Amino acid sequence: ETGVTQSPTHLIKTRGQQVTLRCSSQSGHNTVSWYQQALGQGPQFIFQYYREEENGRGNFPPRFSGLQFPNYSSELNVNALELDDSALYLCASGSPAGVADTQYFGPGTRLTVL
Amino acid sequence: GNSVTQMEGPVTLSEEAFLTINCTYTATGYPSLFWYVQYPGEGLQLLLKATKADDKGSNKGFEATYRKETTSFHLEKGSVQVSDSAVYFCALSALYSSASKIIFGSGTRLSIRP
């Protein structure tokens, strides 16, 4: 069983730019969630995707958007980057939707916005 | 709403000491409870979980018991090792609309001296 993978590992962008982060879910999992972890804090829920549709969103603005593909890979897109967007972005997969259960996390993408 | 409160760090112990990291939660319904561990520069790894009251999760010598009456899920280990140095996150899984999301505490940094 393969784990959750994410790319790239690190990324540096400037304020106002757009970024796309990628995730490949664990085999057999049909939901993918994205979390933002600021330095020294716990991860915060951004949104979850199930069957290629957004299934729930945390307290993040619309410039954070995502996609889920038929093979359960996923993208997180952030437009109009702000300095406060600098964080570790974590992807997590789980199964099934609608059940409060375990999520398995990838290694994360560290985004730095200058 | 749902929330997790955990012992603030950093916690510094000598090798072979006994470890307790306190965690309490507030939740509606009956959430699953987790401890995740984050080693330096890495993503989150699931350490252990419990899905109902009085369940005990255990892994790698760590244990935690789901106490509904005290709404607690304290992490314990009888004899810590230098390799246990990491940040530990207590978390619960809750349904948000139809999405399952993990709500994390702020993390406790543990350092073990040889």
Side-chain angles (χ1 to χ4, degrees), chain A residues 66-83:
Chain A
L67 289 170
Q68 184 187 28
F69 300 102
N71 62 356
Y72 302 126
S73 63
S74 173
E75 290 181 355
L76 165 66
N77 299 289
V78 187
N79 294 322
L81 283 167
E82 301 177 359
L83 297 179

mmCIF file with all atom_site columns, all heavy atoms in Angstrom, chain A residues 66-83:
data_model
loop_
_atom_site.group_PDB
_atom_site.id
_atom_site.type_symbol
_atom_site.label_atom_id
_atom_site.label_alt_id
_atom_site.label_comp_id
_atom_site.label_asym_id
_atom_site.label_entity_id
_atom_site.label_seq_id
_atom_site.pdbx_PDB_ins_code
_atom_site.Cartn_x
_atom_site.Cartn_y
_atom_site.Cartn_z
_atom_site.occupancy
_atom_site.B_iso_or_equiv
_atom_site.pdbx_formal_charge
_atom_site.auth_seq_id
_atom_site.auth_comp_id
_atom_site.auth_asym_id
_atom_site.auth_atom_id
_atom_site.pdbx_PDB_model_num
ATOM 1   N N   . GLY A 1 66 ? -9.184  24.106 -5.026  1.00 0.00 ? 66 GLY A N   1
ATOM 2   C CA  . GLY A 1 66 ? -8.584  22.801 -5.229  1.00 0.00 ? 66 GLY A CA  1
ATOM 3   C C   . GLY A 1 66 ? -9.239  22.025 -6.354  1.00 0.00 ? 66 GLY A C   1
ATOM 4   O O   . GLY A 1 66 ? -10.260 22.432 -6.920  1.00 0.00 ? 66 GLY A O   1
ATOM 5   N N   . LEU A 1 67 ? -8.616  20.922 -6.665  1.00 0.00 ? 67 LEU A N   1
ATOM 6   C CA  . LEU A 1 67 ? -9.139  19.965 -7.633  1.00 0.00 ? 67 LEU A CA  1
ATOM 7   C C   . LEU A 1 67 ? -8.830  18.566 -7.137  1.00 0.00 ? 67 LEU A C   1
ATOM 8   O O   . LEU A 1 67 ? -7.785  18.341 -6.524  1.00 0.00 ? 67 LEU A O   1
ATOM 9   C CB  . LEU A 1 67 ? -8.498  20.155 -9.012  1.00 0.00 ? 67 LEU A CB  1
ATOM 10  C CG  . LEU A 1 67 ? -8.863  21.393 -9.825  1.00 0.00 ? 67 LEU A CG  1
ATOM 11  C CD1 . LEU A 1 67 ? -7.939  21.507 -11.034 1.00 0.00 ? 67 LEU A CD1 1
ATOM 12  C CD2 . LEU A 1 67 ? -10.322 21.341 -10.254 1.00 0.00 ? 67 LEU A CD2 1
ATOM 13  N N   . GLN A 1 68 ? -9.730  17.638 -7.426  1.00 0.00 ? 68 GLN A N   1
ATOM 14  C CA  . GLN A 1 68 ? -9.451  16.218 -7.205  1.00 0.00 ? 68 GLN A CA  1
ATOM 15  C C   . GLN A 1 68 ? -9.687  15.506 -8.527  1.00 0.00 ? 68 GLN A C   1
ATOM 16  O O   . GLN A 1 68 ? -10.686 15.755 -9.208  1.00 0.00 ? 68 GLN A O   1
ATOM 17  C CB  . GLN A 1 68 ? -10.358 15.628 -6.120  1.00 0.00 ? 68 GLN A CB  1
ATOM 18  C CG  . GLN A 1 68 ? -10.033 14.180 -5.786  1.00 0.00 ? 68 GLN A CG  1
ATOM 19  C CD  . GLN A 1 68 ? -11.041 13.554 -4.836  1.00 0.00 ? 68 GLN A CD  1
ATOM 20  O OE1 . GLN A 1 68 ? -12.197 13.948 -4.825  1.00 0.00 ? 68 GLN A OE1 1
ATOM 21  N NE2 . GLN A 1 68 ? -10.603 12.589 -4.047  1.00 0.00 ? 68 GLN A NE2 1
ATOM 22  N N   . PHE A 1 69 ? -8.807  14.626 -8.892  1.00 0.00 ? 69 PHE A N   1
ATOM 23  C CA  . PHE A 1 69 ? -8.876  13.943 -10.189 1.00 0.00 ? 69 PHE A CA  1
ATOM 24  C C   . PHE A 1 69 ? -9.382  12.515 -10.000 1.00 0.00 ? 69 PHE A C   1
ATOM 25  O O   . PHE A 1 69 ? -9.360  11.984 -8.885  1.00 0.00 ? 69 PHE A O   1
ATOM 26  C CB  . PHE A 1 69 ? -7.496  13.974 -10.853 1.00 0.00 ? 69 PHE A CB  1
ATOM 27  C CG  . PHE A 1 69 ? -7.007  15.378 -11.085 1.00 0.00 ? 69 PHE A CG  1
ATOM 28  C CD1 . PHE A 1 69 ? -6.051  15.938 -10.242 1.00 0.00 ? 69 PHE A CD1 1
ATOM 29  C CD2 . PHE A 1 69 ? -7.510  16.148 -12.112 1.00 0.00 ? 69 PHE A CD2 1
ATOM 30  C CE1 . PHE A 1 69 ? -5.610  17.244 -10.433 1.00 0.00 ? 69 PHE A CE1 1
ATOM 31  C CE2 . PHE A 1 69 ? -7.066  17.449 -12.306 1.00 0.00 ? 69 PHE A CE2 1
ATOM 32  C CZ  . PHE A 1 69 ? -6.129  17.991 -11.473 1.00 0.00 ? 69 PHE A CZ  1
ATOM 33  N N   . PRO A 1 70 ? -9.844  11.877 -11.089 1.00 0.00 ? 70 PRO A N   1
ATOM 34  C CA  . PRO A 1 70 ? -10.418 10.529 -10.975 1.00 0.00 ? 70 PRO A CA  1
ATOM 35  C C   . PRO A 1 70 ? -9.493  9.512  -10.328 1.00 0.00 ? 70 PRO A C   1
ATOM 36  O O   . PRO A 1 70 ? -9.955  8.538  -9.747  1.00 0.00 ? 70 PRO A O   1
ATOM 37  C CB  . PRO A 1 70 ? -10.728 10.163 -12.433 1.00 0.00 ? 70 PRO A CB  1
ATOM 38  C CG  . PRO A 1 70 ? -10.946 11.461 -13.112 1.00 0.00 ? 70 PRO A CG  1
ATOM 39  C CD  . PRO A 1 70 ? -9.989  12.420 -12.465 1.00 0.00 ? 70 PRO A CD  1
ATOM 40  N N   . ASN A 1 71 ? -8.193  9.735  -10.420 1.00 0.00 ? 71 ASN A N   1
ATOM 41  C CA  . ASN A 1 71 ? -7.260  8.786  -9.800  1.00 0.00 ? 71 ASN A CA  1
ATOM 42  C C   . ASN A 1 71 ? -6.949  9.174  -8.361  1.00 0.00 ? 71 ASN A C   1
ATOM 43  O O   . ASN A 1 71 ? -5.988  8.688  -7.779  1.00 0.00 ? 71 ASN A O   1
ATOM 44  C CB  . ASN A 1 71 ? -5.961  8.705  -10.613 1.00 0.00 ? 71 ASN A CB  1
ATOM 45  C CG  . ASN A 1 71 ? -5.235  10.036 -10.670 1.00 0.00 ? 71 ASN A CG  1
ATOM 46  O OD1 . ASN A 1 71 ? -5.728  11.048 -10.161 1.00 0.00 ? 71 ASN A OD1 1
ATOM 47  N ND2 . ASN A 1 71 ? -4.066  10.044 -11.279 1.00 0.00 ? 71 ASN A ND2 1
ATOM 48  N N   . TYR A 1 72 ? -7.765  10.107 -7.786  1.00 0.00 ? 72 TYR A N   1
ATOM 49  C CA  . TYR A 1 72 ? -7.665  10.562 -6.401  1.00 0.00 ? 72 TYR A CA  1
ATOM 50  C C   . TYR A 1 72 ? -6.441  11.408 -6.129  1.00 0.00 ? 72 TYR A C   1
ATOM 51  O O   . TYR A 1 72 ? -6.155  11.700 -4.971  1.00 0.00 ? 72 TYR A O   1
ATOM 52  C CB  . TYR A 1 72 ? -7.748  9.395  -5.418  1.00 0.00 ? 72 TYR A CB  1
ATOM 53  C CG  . TYR A 1 72 ? -9.015  8.598  -5.559  1.00 0.00 ? 72 TYR A CG  1
ATOM 54  C CD1 . TYR A 1 72 ? -8.966  7.229  -5.742  1.00 0.00 ? 72 TYR A CD1 1
ATOM 55  C CD2 . TYR A 1 72 ? -10.250 9.221  -5.544  1.00 0.00 ? 72 TYR A CD2 1
ATOM 56  C CE1 . TYR A 1 72 ? -10.126 6.498  -5.898  1.00 0.00 ? 72 TYR A CE1 1
ATOM 57  C CE2 . TYR A 1 72 ? -11.424 8.498  -5.704  1.00 0.00 ? 72 TYR A CE2 1
ATOM 58  C CZ  . TYR A 1 72 ? -11.356 7.128  -5.881  1.00 0.00 ? 72 TYR A CZ  1
ATOM 59  O OH  . TYR A 1 72 ? -12.503 6.407  -6.037  1.00 0.00 ? 72 TYR A OH  1
ATOM 60  N N   . SER A 1 73 ? -5.723  11.815 -7.157  1.00 0.00 ? 73 SER A N   1
ATOM 61  C CA  . SER A 1 73 ? -4.703  12.830 -6.945  1.00 0.00 ? 73 SER A CA  1
ATOM 62  C C   . SER A 1 73 ? -5.406  14.175 -6.806  1.00 0.00 ? 73 SER A C   1
ATOM 63  O O   . SER A 1 73 ? -6.586  14.322 -7.170  1.00 0.00 ? 73 SER A O   1
ATOM 64  C CB  . SER A 1 73 ? -3.688  12.837 -8.083  1.00 0.00 ? 73 SER A CB  1
ATOM 65  O OG  . SER A 1 73 ? -4.322  13.170 -9.296  1.00 0.00 ? 73 SER A OG  1
ATOM 66  N N   . SER A 1 74 ? -4.692  15.145 -6.284  1.00 0.00 ? 74 SER A N   1
ATOM 67  C CA  . SER A 1 74 ? -5.335  16.405 -5.941  1.00 0.00 ? 74 SER A CA  1
ATOM 68  C C   . SER A 1 74 ? -4.372  17.563 -6.108  1.00 0.00 ? 74 SER A C   1
ATOM 69  O O   . SER A 1 74 ? -3.152  17.375 -6.071  1.00 0.00 ? 74 SER A O   1
ATOM 70  C CB  . SER A 1 74 ? -5.819  16.329 -4.491  1.00 0.00 ? 74 SER A CB  1
ATOM 71  O OG  . SER A 1 74 ? -6.322  17.556 -4.026  1.00 0.00 ? 74 SER A OG  1
ATOM 72  N N   . GLU A 1 75 ? -4.930  18.753 -6.300  1.00 0.00 ? 75 GLU A N   1
ATOM 73  C CA  . GLU A 1 75 ? -4.142  19.977 -6.339  1.00 0.00 ? 75 GLU A CA  1
ATOM 74  C C   . GLU A 1 75 ? -4.736  20.995 -5.381  1.00 0.00 ? 75 GLU A C   1
ATOM 75  O O   . GLU A 1 75 ? -5.957  21.047 -5.192  1.00 0.00 ? 75 GLU A O   1
ATOM 76  C CB  . GLU A 1 75 ? -4.157  20.600 -7.751  1.00 0.00 ? 75 GLU A CB  1
ATOM 77  C CG  . GLU A 1 75 ? -3.401  19.842 -8.802  1.00 0.00 ? 75 GLU A CG  1
ATOM 78  C CD  . GLU A 1 75 ? -3.443  20.534 -10.144 1.00 0.00 ? 75 GLU A CD  1
ATOM 79  O OE1 . GLU A 1 75 ? -4.143  21.563 -10.285 1.00 0.00 ? 75 GLU A OE1 1
ATOM 80  O OE2 . GLU A 1 75 ? -2.780  20.027 -11.071 1.00 0.00 ? 75 GLU A OE2 1
ATOM 81  N N   . LEU A 1 76 ? -3.844  21.777 -4.788  1.00 0.00 ? 76 LEU A N   1
ATOM 82  C CA  . LEU A 1 76 ? -4.237  22.962 -4.028  1.00 0.00 ? 76 LEU A CA  1
ATOM 83  C C   . LEU A 1 76 ? -3.689  24.161 -4.781  1.00 0.00 ? 76 LEU A C   1
ATOM 84  O O   . LEU A 1 76 ? -2.496  24.216 -5.071  1.00 0.00 ? 76 LEU A O   1
ATOM 85  C CB  . LEU A 1 76 ? -3.661  22.914 -2.617  1.00 0.00 ? 76 LEU A CB  1
ATOM 86  C CG  . LEU A 1 76 ? -3.694  24.224 -1.825  1.00 0.00 ? 76 LEU A CG  1
ATOM 87  C CD1 . LEU A 1 76 ? -5.121  24.635 -1.532  1.00 0.00 ? 76 LEU A CD1 1
ATOM 88  C CD2 . LEU A 1 76 ? -2.902  24.084 -0.519  1.00 0.00 ? 76 LEU A CD2 1
ATOM 89  N N   . ASN A 1 77 ? -4.568  25.091 -5.126  1.00 0.00 ? 77 ASN A N   1
ATOM 90  C CA  . ASN A 1 77 ? -4.168  26.310 -5.809  1.00 0.00 ? 77 ASN A CA  1
ATOM 91  C C   . ASN A 1 77 ? -4.385  27.497 -4.884  1.00 0.00 ? 77 ASN A C   1
ATOM 92  O O   . ASN A 1 77 ? -5.441  27.605 -4.244  1.00 0.00 ? 77 ASN A O   1
ATOM 93  C CB  . ASN A 1 77 ? -4.986  26.505 -7.085  1.00 0.00 ? 77 ASN A CB  1
ATOM 94  C CG  . ASN A 1 77 ? -4.783  25.384 -8.067  1.00 0.00 ? 77 ASN A CG  1
ATOM 95  O OD1 . ASN A 1 77 ? -3.733  25.254 -8.681  1.00 0.00 ? 77 ASN A OD1 1
ATOM 96  N ND2 . ASN A 1 77 ? -5.780  24.527 -8.214  1.00 0.00 ? 77 ASN A ND2 1
ATOM 97  N N   . VAL A 1 78 ? -3.407  28.366 -4.833  1.00 0.00 ? 78 VAL A N   1
ATOM 98  C CA  . VAL A 1 78 ? -3.543  29.597 -4.056  1.00 0.00 ? 78 VAL A CA  1
ATOM 99  C C   . VAL A 1 78 ? -3.210  30.770 -4.962  1.00 0.00 ? 78 VAL A C   1
ATOM 100 O O   . VAL A 1 78 ? -2.115  30.827 -5.535  1.00 0.00 ? 78 VAL A O   1
ATOM 101 C CB  . VAL A 1 78 ? -2.625  29.612 -2.820  1.00 0.00 ? 78 VAL A CB  1
ATOM 102 C CG1 . VAL A 1 78 ? -2.932  30.837 -1.960  1.00 0.00 ? 78 VAL A CG1 1
ATOM 103 C CG2 . VAL A 1 78 ? -2.775  28.336 -2.012  1.00 0.00 ? 78 VAL A CG2 1
ATOM 104 N N   . ASN A 1 79 ? -4.166  31.663 -5.127  1.00 0.00 ? 79 ASN A N   1
ATOM 105 C CA  . ASN A 1 79 ? -3.976  32.864 -5.955  1.00 0.00 ? 79 ASN A CA  1
ATOM 106 C C   . ASN A 1 79 ? -3.597  34.056 -5.087  1.00 0.00 ? 79 ASN A C   1
ATOM 107 O O   . ASN A 1 79 ? -3.849  34.075 -3.876  1.00 0.00 ? 79 ASN A O   1
ATOM 108 C CB  . ASN A 1 79 ? -5.267  33.180 -6.709  1.00 0.00 ? 79 ASN A CB  1
ATOM 109 C CG  . ASN A 1 79 ? -5.602  32.121 -7.729  1.00 0.00 ? 79 ASN A CG  1
ATOM 110 O OD1 . ASN A 1 79 ? -4.723  31.578 -8.397  1.00 0.00 ? 79 ASN A OD1 1
ATOM 111 N ND2 . ASN A 1 79 ? -6.882  31.803 -7.847  1.00 0.00 ? 79 ASN A ND2 1
ATOM 112 N N   . ALA A 1 80 ? -3.031  35.065 -5.736  1.00 0.00 ? 80 ALA A N   1
ATOM 113 C CA  . ALA A 1 80 ? -2.736  36.334 -5.060  1.00 0.00 ? 80 ALA A CA  1
ATOM 114 C C   . ALA A 1 80 ? -2.057  36.095 -3.718  1.00 0.00 ? 80 ALA A C   1
ATOM 115 O O   . ALA A 1 80 ? -2.558  36.503 -2.666  1.00 0.00 ? 80 ALA A O   1
ATOM 116 C CB  . ALA A 1 80 ? -4.021  37.144 -4.885  1.00 0.00 ? 80 ALA A CB  1
ATOM 117 N N   . LEU A 1 81 ? -0.927  35.408 -3.757  1.00 0.00 ? 81 LEU A N   1
ATOM 118 C CA  . LEU A 1 81 ? -0.229  35.022 -2.532  1.00 0.00 ? 81 LEU A CA  1
ATOM 119 C C   . LEU A 1 81 ? 0.065   36.219 -1.624  1.00 0.00 ? 81 LEU A C   1
ATOM 120 O O   . LEU A 1 81 ? 0.436   37.307 -2.088  1.00 0.00 ? 81 LEU A O   1
ATOM 121 C CB  . LEU A 1 81 ? 1.070   34.314 -2.887  1.00 0.00 ? 81 LEU A CB  1
ATOM 122 C CG  . LEU A 1 81 ? 0.928   32.873 -3.355  1.00 0.00 ? 81 LEU A CG  1
ATOM 123 C CD1 . LEU A 1 81 ? 2.228   32.383 -3.986  1.00 0.00 ? 81 LEU A CD1 1
ATOM 124 C CD2 . LEU A 1 81 ? 0.511   31.972 -2.208  1.00 0.00 ? 81 LEU A CD2 1
ATOM 125 N N   . GLU A 1 82 ? -0.108  35.968 -0.332  1.00 0.00 ? 82 GLU A N   1
ATOM 126 C CA  . GLU A 1 82 ? 0.209   36.943 0.713   1.00 0.00 ? 82 GLU A CA  1
ATOM 127 C C   . GLU A 1 82 ? 1.326   36.390 1.577   1.00 0.00 ? 82 GLU A C   1
ATOM 128 O O   . GLU A 1 82 ? 1.548   35.183 1.635   1.00 0.00 ? 82 GLU A O   1
ATOM 129 C CB  . GLU A 1 82 ? -1.043  37.232 1.543   1.00 0.00 ? 82 GLU A CB  1
ATOM 130 C CG  . GLU A 1 82 ? -2.203  37.771 0.729   1.00 0.00 ? 82 GLU A CG  1
ATOM 131 C CD  . GLU A 1 82 ? -3.465  37.988 1.560   1.00 0.00 ? 82 GLU A CD  1
ATOM 132 O OE1 . GLU A 1 82 ? -3.434  37.703 2.778   1.00 0.00 ? 82 GLU A OE1 1
ATOM 133 O OE2 . GLU A 1 82 ? -4.471  38.455 0.978   1.00 0.00 ? 82 GLU A OE2 1
ATOM 134 N N   . LEU A 1 83 ? 2.009   37.294 2.286   1.00 0.00 ? 83 LEU A N   1
ATOM 135 C CA  . LEU A 1 83 ? 3.121   36.857 3.129   1.00 0.00 ? 83 LEU A CA  1
ATOM 136 C C   . LEU A 1 83 ? 2.673   35.826 4.158   1.00 0.00 ? 83 LEU A C   1
ATOM 137 O O   . LEU A 1 83 ? 3.407   34.875 4.454   1.00 0.00 ? 83 LEU A O   1
ATOM 138 C CB  . LEU A 1 83 ? 3.741   38.062 3.839   1.00 0.00 ? 83 LEU A CB  1
ATOM 139 C CG  . LEU A 1 83 ? 4.380   39.121 2.945   1.00 0.00 ? 83 LEU A CG  1
ATOM 140 C CD1 . LEU A 1 83 ? 4.940   40.266 3.794   1.00 0.00 ? 83 LEU A CD1 1
ATOM 141 C CD2 . LEU A 1 83 ? 5.461   38.538 2.057   1.00 0.00 ? 83 LEU A CD2 1
#
